[in-house]
Amino acid sequence: MGNEVRTTTQIDAPPQAVWDVVMDPDRFGDWVTIHRGLKHVSDQPLREGSTLEQRLCLRGVPFTVEWTVVELDEPRLVVMEGRGPARSKAITRDELTERDGGTAFAYVNEFKTPLGPLGAAASKVLVGGVSEREAKASLARLKQLLEGS
């Protein structure tokens, strides 16, 4: 089973300023609505090959995802692969493009849950519009944080 969430926003700040917040694990809690903490971060700043263990909570269910930075082009692109509970997998892609003196921020999250009872449980946590709402809420929070409004 696979699902995808895509959302975009325009932020009135230069790409480097957006990048500096997005790529700082210590700031995830400032804008990622489902973030609950970090257990391990291999490198700061993050670079290609860096790993981190992130505690998240969605629909009241806490879970951990182990992320690896698989592609990085500062300050334009970061792609991370994650492994979560019950062999679930995710790939996130953040693309920052300079536009109208600010930054167009595009976020994509592709996630796959395995088959079987555990997969069905993991899928219930991840689907149903909640992920898209949370992604949009996170980008809105990031925009507010960077624009200071």
Side-chain angles (χ1 to χ4, degrees):
M1 172 172 214
N3 297 282
E4 185 176 276
V5 171
R6 291 178 175 266
T7 190
T8 60
T9 192
Q10 176 72 23
I11 300 172
D12 188 18
Q16 188 67 51
V18 176
W19 179 268
D20 290 345
V21 171
V22 168
M23 292 302 293
D24 183 349
D26 292 333
R27 304 226 35 207
F28 288 176
D30 293 343
W31 67 280
V32 179
T33 60
I34 65 170
H35 176 80
R36 295 299 179 266
L38 294 170
K39 291 184 179 178
H40 168 76
V41 178
S42 66
D43 306 291
Q44 284 194 332
L46 295 173
R47 60 180 188 253
E48 213 163 290
S50 293
T51 59
L52 59 96
E53 209 172 317
Q54 185 180 27
R55 288 187 309 276
L56 302 167
C57 186
L58 193 56
R59 281 193 175 163
V61 179
F63 60 100
T64 299
V65 177
E66 295 174 15
W67 295 104
T68 301
V69 178
V70 294
E71 191 177 343
L72 189 141
D73 180 15
E74 181 175 351
R76 292 177 284 281
L77 173 71
V78 62
V79 179
M80 296 174 69
E81 287 183 359
R83 296 194 177 277
R87 293 189 319 237
S88 56
K89 295 177 184 173
I91 296 174
T92 62
R93 181 180 183 91
D94 297 343
E95 292 183 55
L96 288 70
T97 307
E98 189 169 351
R99 185 180 297 147
D100 302 326
T103 303
F105 186 110
Y107 169 83
V108 179
N109 183 345
E110 297 174 52
F111 47 94
K112 293 186 174 102
T113 55
L115 300 176
L118 286 175
S123 180
K124 266 205 243 177
V125 169
L126 295 172
V127 298
V130 172
S131 296
E132 186 172 358
R133 277 199 305 278
E134 292 297 344
K136 287 179 178 178
S138 291
L139 289 195
R141 198 185 271 185
L142 179 65
K143 178 179 173 68
Q144 183 177 19
L145 180 68
L146 282 154
E147 293 180 353
S149 54

